[in-house]
Amino acid sequence: MKTAYTMFERLISDGKKETDRLIATLESESLYMDYKGKSYKDEDDLSKDDMLNLDKALSGYANTEGGVLIWGIEKKDGVLGSYVLIEQPEAFVERLNTVTPGRVSPSVDGVRHEVVFSGTDGGVVVTYVPQSESTPHRSVGKSGQYYKRHGGNFLYMEHFEIEDMFGRRARPKLGMDVSIRKVVDSRPDPTYALTVNIFNDGKAISQLYGFDLEFIDKLVAGVPVVTNRPGMRNGAHVVDGICTLKYRNGRHDEDSRPIYPGETIVITPNNHKLGHIQFKMSDTQFDAWKDFELGYKVYSENMLPQGGTVRFGNLFLGSDE
């Protein structure tokens, strides 16, 4: 549920439908998203401009919070305009995969290049770069620079920022996985269950952690964990019609447990602080709420809060039956 990866998954799953939406809504470049056309002025399949754009994305996104670079869409003044489709997008992806490991030092783990869609006139490609724990990353191309992502731009890192990254101690890096599964196919209102996992992709143990997750209040209004106590640490807090599920793990809690690097723990339904969150929902309700954007935020000591949004309809998995 990291913001950059959520964008990447949406592009891969929705394809041209999602890029059409980006263009129709004139969605601007942001901290997590950039647009680039491919240059064909050189005979090489990746021009100098292409290499520089790749270098900036690899270094800049890895040194900050990760992001996606969409190849094949034209922009003007940071705002989308129209498609400038990539010729032979599959071959373009192969070439990106070949050159990526050697474009920055140290190389960035977890980079992915995928075809968003492809047709007779060309296609669109997306590059996903995760936030890195091995910062800082420097371009080994002609620029030889350390980049960072700031707003909708890639900027040179200041000397003190580079020094800070070299001296940075290991930190936890928590994220959330949220899913909904049908558990009882009772018509007309099947029963669904919510699952929340917390994972640690960092290099340090997380002892104090928690999350906030917005949910549709009508679905959890009857769940025993719901309360209106503003100072609550665990449960659901409803304000102005918005239900926020809250979880906090304290160092001195009786059932407190750390999250080790590379580990994932299940908060609900296994943890008694939130218990089992189940709800009934009709097909009509699903259609009405499937595009509802749920905000989330995950916390840990020695880590800046990480958050974003996810569509309610994208959380649903297959049935248990």
Side-chain angles (χ1 to χ4, degrees):
M1 287 186 57
K2 301 169 188 177
T3 301
Y5 192 72
T6 299
M7 291 178 173
F8 175 71
E9 282 194 317
R10 186 176 299 175
L11 284 160
I12 297 304
S13 62
D14 292 352
K16 192 172 184 298
K17 177 182 176 182
E18 177 62 11
T19 54
D20 285 345
R21 185 190 70 81
L22 293 174
I23 291 174
T25 58
L26 300 177
E27 188 155 342
S28 299
E29 291 176 319
S30 67
L31 179 66
Y32 304 102
M33 186 162 54
D34 196 42
Y35 311 102
K36 285 290 182 287
K38 188 189 181 314
S39 172
Y40 293 98
K41 65 183 180 182
D42 295 346
E43 292 183 2
D44 188 19
D45 49 356
L46 284 183
S47 70
K48 294 178 182 178
D49 289 342
D50 297 333
M51 287 293 195
L52 180 58
N53 289 331
L54 177 62
D55 293 354
K56 288 181 178 180
L58 294 173
S59 173
Y61 282 141
N63 286 336
T64 46
E65 297 183 27
V68 294
L69 172 57
I70 303 173
W71 305 84
I73 297 180
E74 188 178 52
K75 66 181 185 299
K76 184 177 181 181
D77 299 327
V79 178
L80 268 67
S82 60
Y83 287 112
V84 283
L85 298 178
I86 305 296
E87 299 174 8
Q88 299 180 329
E90 292 81 7
F92 183 58
V93 166
E94 288 184 15
R95 183 60 177 152
L96 289 173
N97 283 327
T98 298
V99 302
T100 290
R103 296 309 303 176
V104 294
S105 178
S107 61
V108 182
D109 294 330
V111 176
R112 290 179 60 184
H113 307 287
E114 300 285 350
V115 176
V116 176
F117 70 86
S118 179
T120 56
D121 296 329
V124 169
V125 169
V126 61
T127 292
Y128 164 70
V129 183
Q131 182 179 7
S132 176
E133 288 293 318
S134 302
T135 56
H137 296 270
R138 178 180 64 85
S139 165
V140 300
K142 185 177 180 180
S143 71
Q145 292 288 337
Y146 293 90
Y147 291 97
K148 64 181 178 181
R149 186 70 173 175
H150 181 75
N153 299 292
F154 291 110
L155 305 177
Y156 295 152
M157 292 182 63
E158 300 289 346
H159 184 73
F160 74 88
E161 294 174 312
I162 300 171
E163 282 188 329
D164 178 65
M165 283 191 173
F166 273 117
R168 186 176 297 167
R169 64 177 179 174
R171 300 178 185 274
K173 189 170 74 171
L174 303 191
M176 293 174 59
D177 280 329
V178 181
S179 60
I180 296 172
R181 185 182 297 275
K182 185 189 297 182
V183 291
V184 180
D185 194 9
S186 52
R187 294 295 173 175
D189 301 327
T191 299
Y192 296 88
L194 176 72
T195 297
V196 179
N197 298 330
I198 299 292
F199 57 86
N200 185 357
D201 282 344
K203 295 184 177 181
I205 296 172
S206 175
Q207 180 71 55
L208 303 174
Y209 53 89
F211 68 82
D212 296 339
L213 172 64
E214 291 181 355
F215 211 66
I216 298 171
D217 62 319
K218 291 181 175 61
L219 297 183
V220 296
V223 177
V225 299
V226 173
T227 176
N228 284 310
R229 289 183 291 117
M232 65 174 298
R233 294 179 58 225
N234 305 289
H237 184 202
V238 180
V239 175
D240 296 330
I242 300 296
C243 173
T244 301
L245 300 174
K246 289 180 174 287
Y247 176 86
R248 301 291 185 268
N249 184 74
R251 190 184 304 276
H252 302 296
D253 291 351
E254 183 176 345
D255 65 341
S256 174
R257 57 151 299 176
I259 310 178
Y260 291 91
E263 184 179 24
T264 298
I265 66 169
V266 181
I267 302 298
T268 181
N270 291 1
N271 190 293
H272 76 271
K273 291 179 183 177
L274 285 183
H276 290 66
I277 298 179
Q278 296 188 353
F279 56 91
K280 292 182 178 294
M281 183 179 62
S282 67
D283 291 343
T284 300
Q285 288 174 313
F286 175 80
D287 289 338
W289 294 329
K290 63 182 179 181
D291 292 325
F292 189 86
E293 293 285 339
L294 304 173
Y296 66 91
K297 189 168 287 188
V298 61
Y299 310 89
S300 174
E301 83 277 33
N302 299 320
M303 183 193 87
L304 292 175
Q306 301 293 312
T309 60
V310 62
R311 291 180 190 172
F312 178 70
N314 290 349
L315 300 179
F316 284 75
L317 303 177
S319 172
D320 280 341
E321 299 187 345

